Amino acid sequence: MTFIATVLTLYPEMFPGPLGVSLAGRALAEGKWSLTPIHIRDFATDKHRTVDDTPAGGGAGMVLKADVLAAAIDHAREVVAQNLRSSRAKSRNADGAQGVSTSLETDGEGVIPVIAMTPRGKPITQARVRELAAGPGVIILCGRFEGFDERIFEGRDVEEVSVGDIILSGGEPAALMLLDACIRLLPGVMGAPSSGTEESFEDGLLEYPHYTRPTCWEGRTIPEVLRSGDHAKIAAWRKQRAEEDTRLRRPDLWERHRGARGQPASGARQEMKDLGS
Protein backbone atom coordinates (compact mmCIF):
# COMPACT_ATOMS: atom_id res chain seq x y z
CA MET A 1 0.00 0.00 0.00
CA THR A 2 1.40 3.41 -1.01
CA PHE A 3 1.87 5.95 1.80
CA ILE A 4 -0.10 9.04 0.70
CA ALA A 5 1.41 12.41 1.66
CA THR A 6 -0.54 15.60 0.96
CA VAL A 7 0.86 19.04 1.79
CA LEU A 8 -1.23 22.23 2.01
CA THR A 9 1.12 25.15 1.45
CA LEU A 10 1.54 28.62 -0.04
CA TYR A 11 4.77 27.39 -1.65
CA PRO A 12 4.11 24.07 -3.42
CA GLU A 13 7.35 24.49 -5.38
CA MET A 14 9.23 23.63 -2.17
CA PHE A 15 8.12 20.00 -2.57
CA PRO A 16 9.49 17.37 -2.90
CA GLY A 17 12.70 19.38 -2.43
CA PRO A 18 15.24 17.22 -0.55
CA LEU A 19 12.70 14.39 -0.43
CA GLY A 20 13.27 13.92 -4.16
CA VAL A 21 16.76 12.49 -3.63
CA SER A 22 18.47 9.72 -1.66
CA LEU A 23 16.29 7.14 0.14
CA ALA A 24 13.09 9.19 0.03
CA GLY A 25 13.56 10.09 -3.63
CA ARG A 26 14.15 6.49 -4.64
CA ALA A 27 11.11 5.37 -2.62
CA LEU A 28 9.03 8.08 -4.32
CA ALA A 29 10.12 6.88 -7.75
CA GLU A 30 9.34 3.28 -6.78
CA GLY A 31 5.83 4.21 -5.63
CA LYS A 32 6.36 3.38 -1.97
CA TRP A 33 4.93 6.80 -1.18
CA SER A 34 3.21 9.58 -3.10
CA LEU A 35 3.26 13.35 -2.68
CA THR A 36 0.59 15.90 -3.63
CA PRO A 37 1.33 19.57 -2.84
CA ILE A 38 -1.85 21.70 -2.82
CA HIS A 39 -1.74 25.49 -3.05
CA ILE A 40 -3.78 27.07 -0.25
CA ARG A 41 -4.32 30.21 -2.32
CA ASP A 42 -6.40 28.20 -4.80
CA PHE A 43 -9.19 28.16 -2.20
CA ALA A 44 -9.44 31.91 -1.69
CA THR A 45 -12.77 33.33 -2.83
CA ASP A 46 -11.93 36.93 -3.76
CA LYS A 47 -10.25 38.27 -6.89
CA HIS A 48 -7.06 39.02 -4.96
CA ARG A 49 -6.83 35.39 -3.75
CA THR A 50 -6.53 36.56 -0.15
CA VAL A 51 -5.53 33.89 2.38
CA ASP A 52 -4.85 36.03 5.45
CA ASP A 53 -6.20 38.96 7.45
CA THR A 54 -5.26 41.16 10.41
CA PRO A 55 -5.41 39.60 13.89
CA ALA A 56 -8.56 40.13 15.92
CA GLY A 57 -7.77 42.42 18.83
CA GLY A 58 -4.89 44.03 16.98
CA GLY A 59 -1.22 43.20 16.82
CA ALA A 60 1.53 42.63 14.31
CA GLY A 61 1.43 40.34 11.31
CA MET A 62 -1.32 38.50 9.50
CA VAL A 63 -3.32 35.36 10.31
CA LEU A 64 -4.29 32.60 7.88
CA LYS A 65 -8.08 32.60 7.42
CA ALA A 66 -10.16 29.72 8.76
CA ASP A 67 -12.57 29.65 5.83
CA VAL A 68 -9.79 29.35 3.24
CA LEU A 69 -7.95 26.72 5.26
CA ALA A 70 -11.15 24.73 5.76
CA ALA A 71 -11.83 24.66 2.03
CA ALA A 72 -8.27 23.48 1.36
CA ILE A 73 -8.51 20.74 4.01
CA ASP A 74 -11.89 19.57 2.74
CA HIS A 75 -10.51 19.32 -0.79
CA ALA A 76 -7.42 17.45 0.42
CA ARG A 77 -9.57 14.94 2.27
CA GLU A 78 -11.62 14.34 -0.85
CA VAL A 79 -8.48 13.79 -2.94
CA VAL A 80 -7.07 11.42 -0.33
CA ALA A 81 -10.34 9.48 -0.16
CA GLN A 82 -10.19 8.98 -3.92
CA ASN A 83 -6.57 7.84 -3.73
CA LEU A 84 -7.40 5.41 -0.94
CA ARG A 85 -10.23 3.92 -2.94
CA SER A 86 -7.95 3.56 -5.95
CA SER A 87 -5.21 2.00 -3.83
CA ARG A 88 -7.72 -0.36 -2.23
CA ALA A 89 -8.96 -1.46 -5.65
CA LYS A 90 -5.40 -2.15 -6.83
CA SER A 91 -4.74 -4.19 -3.68
CA ARG A 92 -7.86 -6.25 -4.30
CA ASN A 93 -6.84 -6.92 -7.87
CA ALA A 94 -3.34 -7.91 -6.83
CA ASP A 95 -4.02 -9.87 -3.66
CA GLY A 96 -7.75 -10.54 -3.55
CA ALA A 97 -10.29 -8.91 -1.23
CA GLN A 98 -9.06 -10.91 1.76
CA GLY A 99 -5.74 -9.09 1.71
CA VAL A 100 -7.18 -5.61 2.12
CA SER A 101 -6.59 -3.80 5.42
CA THR A 102 -9.79 -3.29 7.40
CA SER A 103 -8.61 0.25 8.22
CA LEU A 104 -9.41 1.18 4.63
CA GLU A 105 -12.92 -0.26 4.61
CA THR A 106 -14.33 3.28 4.63
CA ASP A 107 -14.54 6.07 2.10
CA GLY A 108 -11.27 7.41 3.47
CA GLU A 109 -12.83 10.15 5.60
CA GLY A 110 -11.03 10.54 8.89
CA VAL A 111 -8.52 7.78 8.08
CA ILE A 112 -5.57 10.04 7.37
CA PRO A 113 -4.75 12.64 10.06
CA VAL A 114 -4.44 16.34 9.30
CA ILE A 115 -1.40 17.83 11.03
CA ALA A 116 -0.59 21.54 11.31
CA MET A 117 3.07 22.47 11.72
CA THR A 118 3.16 25.15 14.41
CA PRO A 119 5.48 26.10 17.30
CA ARG A 120 2.37 26.08 19.51
CA GLY A 121 1.84 22.38 18.86
CA LYS A 122 2.72 19.28 20.82
CA PRO A 123 6.36 18.23 20.26
CA ILE A 124 6.60 15.45 17.73
CA THR A 125 8.04 12.17 19.04
CA GLN A 126 9.50 9.11 17.37
CA ALA A 127 6.58 7.12 18.73
CA ARG A 128 4.12 9.43 16.94
CA VAL A 129 6.20 9.23 13.76
CA ARG A 130 5.97 5.43 13.87
CA GLU A 131 2.19 5.66 14.27
CA LEU A 132 1.97 7.92 11.22
CA ALA A 133 4.30 5.77 9.14
CA ALA A 134 2.22 2.68 9.97
CA GLY A 135 -0.93 4.37 8.65
CA PRO A 136 -2.07 5.08 5.10
CA GLY A 137 -0.63 8.60 5.00
CA VAL A 138 -0.82 12.15 6.32
CA ILE A 139 -2.14 15.58 5.34
CA ILE A 140 0.20 18.36 6.48
CA LEU A 141 -0.88 21.99 6.82
CA CYS A 142 1.98 24.49 6.59
CA GLY A 143 1.65 27.80 8.37
CA ARG A 144 2.98 31.24 7.45
CA PHE A 145 2.82 34.75 8.87
CA GLU A 146 1.50 34.82 12.46
CA GLY A 147 -0.08 31.38 12.15
CA PHE A 148 -3.57 29.93 11.86
CA ASP A 149 -7.00 31.14 12.92
CA GLU A 150 -7.46 29.06 16.08
CA ARG A 151 -10.93 27.91 15.05
CA ILE A 152 -9.55 25.69 12.29
CA PHE A 153 -8.13 23.14 14.73
CA GLU A 154 -11.43 22.19 16.29
CA GLY A 155 -13.47 22.94 13.20
CA ARG A 156 -11.56 20.44 11.06
CA ASP A 157 -10.04 18.12 13.69
CA VAL A 158 -6.48 19.28 13.04
CA GLU A 159 -3.59 18.03 15.18
CA GLU A 160 -1.05 20.71 16.13
CA VAL A 161 2.57 19.53 15.99
CA SER A 162 5.90 21.22 16.70
CA VAL A 163 9.35 20.05 15.61
CA GLY A 164 11.13 21.93 18.39
CA ASP A 165 11.46 25.14 20.35
CA ILE A 166 12.54 27.17 17.34
CA ILE A 167 10.79 29.57 14.95
CA LEU A 168 10.96 28.93 11.20
CA SER A 169 9.87 31.22 8.37
CA GLY A 170 7.07 28.77 7.62
CA GLY A 171 5.81 25.25 8.14
CA GLU A 172 7.34 23.84 4.96
CA PRO A 173 10.80 22.95 6.37
CA ALA A 174 9.07 21.33 9.35
CA ALA A 175 6.79 19.39 7.00
CA LEU A 176 9.82 18.11 5.07
CA MET A 177 11.34 17.00 8.36
CA LEU A 178 8.20 15.15 9.44
CA LEU A 179 7.77 13.46 6.06
CA ASP A 180 11.40 12.34 5.99
CA ALA A 181 11.02 10.81 9.46
CA CYS A 182 7.95 8.87 8.28
CA ILE A 183 9.20 7.80 4.85
CA ARG A 184 12.42 6.22 6.10
CA LEU A 185 10.31 3.86 8.24
CA LEU A 186 8.21 2.59 5.35
CA PRO A 187 8.80 -1.07 4.41
CA GLY A 188 11.66 -1.47 1.98
CA VAL A 189 12.99 2.10 2.22
CA MET A 190 15.98 1.44 4.50
CA GLY A 191 18.40 -1.33 3.62
CA ALA A 192 18.77 -3.06 6.98
CA PRO A 193 15.58 -3.59 9.04
CA SER A 194 17.52 -2.86 12.25
CA SER A 195 18.50 0.59 10.92
CA GLY A 196 15.14 1.96 12.03
CA THR A 197 15.23 0.52 15.52
CA GLU A 198 18.83 0.89 16.73
CA GLU A 199 18.88 4.67 16.88
CA SER A 200 18.00 7.61 19.10
CA PHE A 201 14.52 7.79 20.68
CA GLU A 202 13.41 4.30 19.58
CA ASP A 203 13.74 2.95 23.14
CA GLY A 204 13.43 6.30 24.89
CA LEU A 205 17.17 6.95 24.93
CA LEU A 206 19.71 8.73 22.77
CA GLU A 207 21.67 6.36 20.58
CA TYR A 208 25.14 5.18 21.62
CA PRO A 209 28.16 6.78 19.86
CA HIS A 210 29.64 5.29 16.69
CA TYR A 211 33.22 4.79 15.47
CA THR A 212 34.87 3.45 12.31
CA ARG A 213 38.35 3.07 10.80
CA PRO A 214 41.05 4.27 11.18
CA THR A 215 41.47 2.80 14.66
CA CYS A 216 43.59 5.73 15.77
CA TRP A 217 42.93 9.25 14.49
CA GLU A 218 44.83 12.31 15.74
CA GLY A 219 45.71 10.43 18.91
CA ARG A 220 42.11 9.41 19.58
CA THR A 221 41.53 5.66 19.64
CA ILE A 222 38.36 3.63 19.18
CA PRO A 223 37.33 2.26 22.61
CA GLU A 224 38.96 -1.11 23.23
CA VAL A 225 35.66 -2.86 23.99
CA LEU A 226 34.45 -2.16 20.42
CA ARG A 227 37.57 -3.89 19.06
CA SER A 228 37.29 -6.89 21.38
CA GLY A 229 34.89 -8.99 19.32
CA ASP A 230 32.95 -9.76 22.52
CA HIS A 231 29.37 -9.05 21.44
CA ALA A 232 27.96 -9.24 24.97
CA LYS A 233 30.44 -6.65 26.25
CA ILE A 234 29.83 -4.45 23.22
CA ALA A 235 26.07 -4.56 23.79
CA ALA A 236 26.53 -3.70 27.48
CA TRP A 237 28.89 -0.82 26.63
CA ARG A 238 26.45 0.59 24.09
CA LYS A 239 23.56 0.36 26.52
CA GLN A 240 25.48 2.14 29.26
CA ARG A 241 26.74 4.86 26.91
CA ALA A 242 23.19 5.46 25.67
CA GLU A 243 22.01 5.81 29.25
CA GLU A 244 24.88 8.06 30.30
CA ASP A 245 24.56 10.36 27.30
CA THR A 246 20.81 10.61 27.80
CA ARG A 247 21.27 11.52 31.49
CA LEU A 248 23.83 14.19 30.60
CA ARG A 249 22.30 15.67 27.47
CA ARG A 250 18.56 15.06 27.75
CA PRO A 251 17.45 14.75 31.37
CA ASP A 252 13.86 15.16 30.19
CA LEU A 253 14.14 11.97 28.12
CA TRP A 254 15.87 10.18 30.97
CA GLU A 255 13.09 11.04 33.40
CA ARG A 256 10.48 9.74 31.00
CA HIS A 257 12.52 6.62 30.30
CA ARG A 258 13.00 5.76 33.95
CA GLY A 259 9.68 7.10 35.17
CA ALA A 260 11.56 9.12 37.78
CA ARG A 261 14.57 11.36 38.19
CA GLY A 262 16.96 8.41 37.95
CA GLN A 263 20.50 8.26 39.28
CA PRO A 264 22.90 11.18 38.71
CA ALA A 265 24.73 11.15 35.40
CA SER A 266 28.08 10.89 37.21
CA GLY A 267 27.03 7.50 38.51
CA ALA A 268 27.56 5.92 35.13
CA ARG A 269 31.15 7.07 34.62
CA GLN A 270 32.76 4.45 36.85
CA GLU A 271 30.72 1.73 35.12
CA MET A 272 32.05 2.94 31.75
CA LYS A 273 35.67 2.64 32.92
CA ASP A 274 35.10 -1.02 33.79
CA LEU A 275 34.01 -1.69 30.19
CA GLY A 276 37.07 -0.12 28.60
CA SER A 277 35.71 3.25 27.50
Side-chain angles (χ1 to χ4, degrees), residues 160-209:
E160 299 175 76
V161 165
S162 168
V163 296
D165 295 340
I166 56 174
I167 302 299
L168 303 173
S169 57
E172 289 79 11
L176 290 167
M177 183 188 303
L178 177 58
L179 285 175
D180 182 77
C182 292
I183 293 160
R184 62 190 298 276
L185 296 180
L186 300 179
V189 174
M190 287 190 288
S194 61
S195 297
T197 56
E198 294 184 2
E199 52 192 9
S200 293
F201 311 118
E202 286 297 339
D203 58 359
L205 298 170
L206 298 180
E207 190 179 10
Y208 51 80

Coordinates of all heavy atoms in Angstrom, one line a residue, residues 160-209:
E160 N -2.1 19.7 16.1 CA -1.1 20.7 16.1 C 0.2 20.0 16.6 O 0.3 19.4 17.6 CB -1.4 21.9 17.1 CG -2.6 22.6 16.7 CD -2.9 23.7 17.7 OE1 -2.3 24.8 17.7 OE2 -3.9 23.5 18.5
V161 N 1.3 20.2 15.7 CA 2.6 19.5 16.0 C 3.7 20.5 15.8 O 3.7 21.4 14.9 CB 2.8 18.3 15.0 CG1 4.2 17.9 15.0 CG2 1.8 17.2 15.4
S162 N 4.7 20.4 16.7 CA 5.9 21.2 16.7 C 7.1 20.3 16.5 O 7.1 19.2 17.0 CB 6.0 22.0 18.0 OG 7.3 22.6 18.1
V163 N 8.1 20.8 15.8 CA 9.4 20.0 15.6 C 10.4 20.5 16.6 O 11.6 20.0 16.5 CB 9.9 20.1 14.2 CG1 8.9 19.4 13.2 CG2 10.2 21.5 13.7
G164 N 10.1 21.5 17.4 CA 11.1 21.9 18.4 C 10.9 23.4 18.8 O 10.0 24.1 18.2
D165 N 11.6 23.8 19.8 CA 11.5 25.1 20.4 C 12.3 26.1 19.5 O 13.2 26.8 20.0 CB 11.9 25.2 21.8 CG 11.0 24.3 22.7 OD1 9.9 24.0 22.3 OD2 11.5 23.9 23.8
I166 N 11.9 26.2 18.3 CA 12.5 27.2 17.3 C 11.4 27.8 16.5 O 10.4 27.2 16.3 CB 13.6 26.5 16.4 CG1 13.0 25.3 15.7 CG2 14.8 26.1 17.3 CD1 13.9 24.7 14.7
I167 N 11.7 28.9 15.9 CA 10.8 29.6 14.9 C 11.4 29.5 13.5 O 12.5 30.0 13.3 CB 10.5 31.0 15.4 CG1 10.0 31.1 16.8 CG2 9.5 31.7 14.4 CD1 8.7 30.4 17.0
L168 N 10.6 29.0 12.6 CA 11.0 28.9 11.2 C 10.2 30.0 10.4 O 9.2 30.5 10.9 CB 10.7 27.5 10.6 CG 11.3 26.4 11.3 CD1 10.8 25.0 10.8 CD2 12.8 26.4 11.2
S169 N 10.6 30.2 9.2 CA 9.9 31.2 8.4 C 8.5 30.7 7.9 O 7.7 31.5 7.5 CB 10.7 31.6 7.2 OG 11.1 30.5 6.4
G170 N 8.3 29.4 8.0 CA 7.1 28.8 7.6 C 7.1 27.3 8.0 O 8.1 26.7 8.4
G171 N 5.9 26.7 7.8 CA 5.8 25.3 8.1 C 6.4 24.3 7.2 O 6.5 23.1 7.4
E172 N 6.8 24.8 6.0 CA 7.3 23.8 5.0 C 8.6 23.1 5.4 O 8.6 21.8 5.2 CB 7.6 24.6 3.6 CG 6.3 25.0 2.9 CD 5.7 26.3 3.5 OE1 6.4 26.9 4.4 OE2 4.5 26.6 3.1
P173 N 9.6 23.7 5.9 CA 10.8 23.0 6.4 C 10.4 21.9 7.4 O 11.0 20.8 7.5 CB 11.7 24.0 6.9 CG 11.3 25.3 6.2 CD 9.9 25.2 6.1
A174 N 9.5 22.3 8.3 CA 9.1 21.3 9.3 C 8.3 20.2 8.7 O 8.4 19.0 9.1 CB 8.2 22.0 10.4
A175 N 7.5 20.4 7.7 CA 6.8 19.4 7.0 C 7.7 18.4 6.3 O 7.6 17.2 6.3 CB 5.8 20.0 6.0
L176 N 8.8 19.0 5.7 CA 9.8 18.1 5.1 C 10.5 17.2 6.1 O 10.7 16.0 5.9 CB 10.9 19.0 4.4 CG 10.4 19.7 3.1 CD1 11.4 20.8 2.7 CD2 10.2 18.7 2.0
M177 N 10.7 17.8 7.3 CA 11.3 17.0 8.4 C 10.4 15.9 8.8 O 10.9 14.7 8.9 CB 11.7 17.9 9.5 CG 12.4 17.2 10.7 SD 12.5 18.3 12.2 CE 13.4 19.7 11.5
L178 N 9.2 16.2 9.0 CA 8.2 15.2 9.4 C 8.0 14.1 8.4 O 8.0 12.9 8.7 CB 6.9 15.8 9.7 CG 5.7 14.9 10.2 CD1 6.1 14.0 11.4 CD2 4.4 15.6 10.4
L179 N 7.9 14.4 7.1 CA 7.8 13.5 6.1 C 9.0 12.6 6.0 O 8.9 11.3 5.8 CB 7.5 14.1 4.7 CG 6.1 14.7 4.5 CD1 6.0 15.5 3.2 CD2 5.0 13.6 4.6
D180 N 10.2 13.1 6.0 CA 11.4 12.3 6.0 C 11.4 11.3 7.1 O 11.8 10.1 6.9 CB 12.6 13.2 6.1 CG 13.9 12.5 6.0 OD1 14.3 12.0 4.9 OD2 14.5 12.2 7.0
A181 N 11.0 11.7 8.3 CA 11.0 10.8 9.5 C 10.1 9.7 9.2 O 10.3 8.5 9.6 CB 10.6 11.6 10.7
C182 N 8.9 9.9 8.6 CA 7.9 8.9 8.3 C 8.4 8.0 7.1 O 8.3 6.7 7.2 CB 6.6 9.5 7.9 SG 5.8 10.3 9.3
I183 N 8.9 8.6 6.1 CA 9.2 7.8 4.8 C 10.3 6.8 5.1 O 10.2 5.7 4.6 CB 9.6 8.8 3.7 CG1 8.4 9.6 3.3 CG2 10.2 8.0 2.5 CD1 8.7 10.9 2.6
R184 N 11.3 7.1 5.9 CA 12.4 6.2 6.1 C 12.0 5.0 6.9 O 12.7 3.9 6.8 CB 13.5 6.9 6.9 CG 13.2 7.4 8.2 CD 14.2 8.3 8.8 NE 15.5 7.6 9.0 CZ 15.8 6.9 10.0 NH1 14.9 6.7 11.0 NH2 16.9 6.3 10.1
L185 N 10.8 5.0 7.5 CA 10.3 3.9 8.2 C 9.4 3.0 7.4 O 9.0 1.9 7.9 CB 9.6 4.3 9.5 CG 10.4 5.1 10.5 CD1 9.5 5.5 11.7 CD2 11.5 4.3 11.0
L186 N 9.1 3.4 6.2 CA 8.2 2.6 5.3 C 8.9 1.3 4.9 O 10.1 1.3 4.7 CB 7.8 3.4 4.1 CG 7.0 4.7 4.3 CD1 6.7 5.4 3.0 CD2 5.8 4.4 5.1
P187 N 8.2 0.2 4.8 CA 8.8 -1.1 4.4 C 9.6 -1.0 3.1 O 9.1 -0.4 2.1 CB 7.6 -2.0 4.2 CG 6.5 -1.4 5.1 CD 6.7 0.1 5.0
G188 N 10.8 -1.4 3.2 CA 11.7 -1.5 2.0 C 12.4 -0.2 1.7 O 13.2 -0.2 0.7
V189 N 12.3 0.8 2.5 CA 13.0 2.1 2.2 C 14.4 2.0 2.7 O 15.4 2.4 2.0 CB 12.3 3.3 2.8 CG1 13.1 4.6 2.7 CG2 10.9 3.5 2.2
M190 N 14.6 1.6 4.0 CA 16.0 1.4 4.5 C 16.5 0.0 4.2 O 15.7 -0.9 4.2 CB 16.0 1.7 6.0 CG 15.8 3.1 6.4 SD 16.1 3.5 8.1 CE 14.6 2.7 8.8
G191 N 17.8 -0.1 4.0 CA 18.4 -1.3 3.6 C 18.3 -2.4 4.7 O 17.7 -3.5 4.5
A192 N 18.8 -2.1 5.9 CA 18.8 -3.1 7.0 C 17.6 -2.8 7.9 O 17.4 -1.7 8.3 CB 20.1 -3.0 7.8
P193 N 16.7 -3.8 8.2 CA 15.6 -3.6 9.0 C 15.9 -3.0 10.4 O 15.2 -2.2 11.0 CB 15.0 -5.0 9.2 CG 15.5 -5.7 8.0 CD 16.8 -5.2 7.7
S194 N 17.1 -3.4 10.9 CA 17.5 -2.9 12.2 C 17.9 -1.4 12.2 O 18.0 -0.8 13.3 CB 18.7 -3.7 12.8 OG 19.8 -3.5 11.9
S195 N 18.1 -0.8 11.0 CA 18.5 0.6 10.9 C 17.5 1.5 11.5 O 17.8 2.6 12.1 CB 18.7 1.0 9.5 OG 19.8 0.2 8.9
G196 N 16.2 1.1 11.5 CA 15.1 2.0 12.0 C 14.8 1.8 13.5 O 14.0 2.5 14.1
T197 N 15.5 0.8 14.1 CA 15.2 0.5 15.5 C 16.4 0.8 16.4 O 16.2 1.2 17.6 CB 14.8 -0.9 15.7 OG1 15.8 -1.8 15.2 CG2 13.5 -1.2 15.0
E198 N 17.6 0.7 15.9 CA 18.8 0.9 16.7 C 19.3 2.3 16.5 O 20.4 2.6 16.0 CB 19.9 -0.1 16.4 CG 19.6 -1.6 16.7 CD 20.8 -2.5 16.4 OE1 21.8 -2.0 16.0 OE2 20.6 -3.7 16.6
E199 N 18.5 3.3 17.0 CA 18.9 4.7 16.9 C 18.2 5.5 18.0 O 17.4 5.0 18.7 CB 18.5 5.2 15.5 CG 17.1 5.0 15.0 CD 16.9 5.2 13.6 OE1 17.9 5.5 12.9 OE2 15.7 5.2 13.1
S200 N 18.5 6.8 18.0 CA 18.0 7.6 19.1 C 16.5 7.6 19.1 O 15.8 7.6 18.1 CB 18.5 9.0 18.9 OG 19.9 9.1 19.1
F201 N 15.9 7.6 20.4 CA 14.5 7.8 20.7 C 13.7 6.5 20.5 O 12.6 6.4 21.0 CB 13.9 8.9 19.8 CG 14.6 10.2 19.8 CD1 15.2 10.7 18.7 CD2 14.9 10.9 21.0 CE1 15.9 11.9 18.7 CE2 15.6 12.0 21.1 CZ 16.1 12.5 19.9
E202 N 14.2 5.5 19.8 CA 13.4 4.3 19.6 C 13.1 3.6 20.9 O 12.0 3.0 21.0 CB 14.1 3.4 18.6 CG 14.1 3.9 17.2 CD 12.6 3.9 16.6 OE1 11.7 3.3 17.2 OE2 12.4 4.7 15.7
D203 N 14.0 3.6 21.9 CA 13.7 2.9 23.1 C 13.7 4.0 24.3 O 13.9 3.6 25.4 CB 14.8 1.9 23.4 CG 16.2 2.4 23.5 OD1 16.4 3.6 23.2 OD2 17.1 1.6 23.7
G204 N 13.5 5.2 23.9 CA 13.4 6.3 24.9 C 14.8 6.9 25.3 O 14.8 7.7 26.2
L205 N 15.8 6.5 24.6 CA 17.2 6.9 24.9 C 17.8 7.5 23.7 O 17.4 7.2 22.6 CB 18.1 5.8 25.5 CG 17.6 5.1 26.7 CD1 18.5 3.9 27.0 CD2 17.8 6.1 27.9
L206 N 18.9 8.3 23.9 CA 19.7 8.7 22.8 C 20.5 7.5 22.3 O 20.8 6.6 23.1 CB 20.7 9.9 23.2 CG 20.0 11.2 23.6 CD1 21.1 12.2 24.0 CD2 19.1 11.7 22.5
E207 N 20.9 7.5 21.1 CA 21.7 6.4 20.6 C 23.1 6.4 21.1 O 23.6 7.5 21.4 CB 21.7 6.4 19.1 CG 22.3 5.1 18.4 CD 22.2 5.2 16.9 OE1 22.0 6.2 16.3 OE2 22.5 4.1 16.3
Y208 N 23.7 5.3 21.2 CA 25.1 5.2 21.6 C 26.0 5.8 20.5 O 25.6 5.9 19.4 CB 25.5 3.7 21.9 CG 25.2 2.8 20.7 CD1 25.9 2.7 19.6 CD2 24.0 2.0 20.8 CE1 25.6 1.8 18.5 CE2 23.7 1.1 19.8 CZ 24.5 1.1 18.6 OH 24.1 0.2 17.6
P209 N 27.3 6.2 20.9 CA 28.2 6.8 19.9 C 28.7 5.7 18.9 O 28.8 4.5 19.2 CB 29.3 7.4 20.7 CG 29.3 6.6 22.0 CD 27.8 6.2 22.2

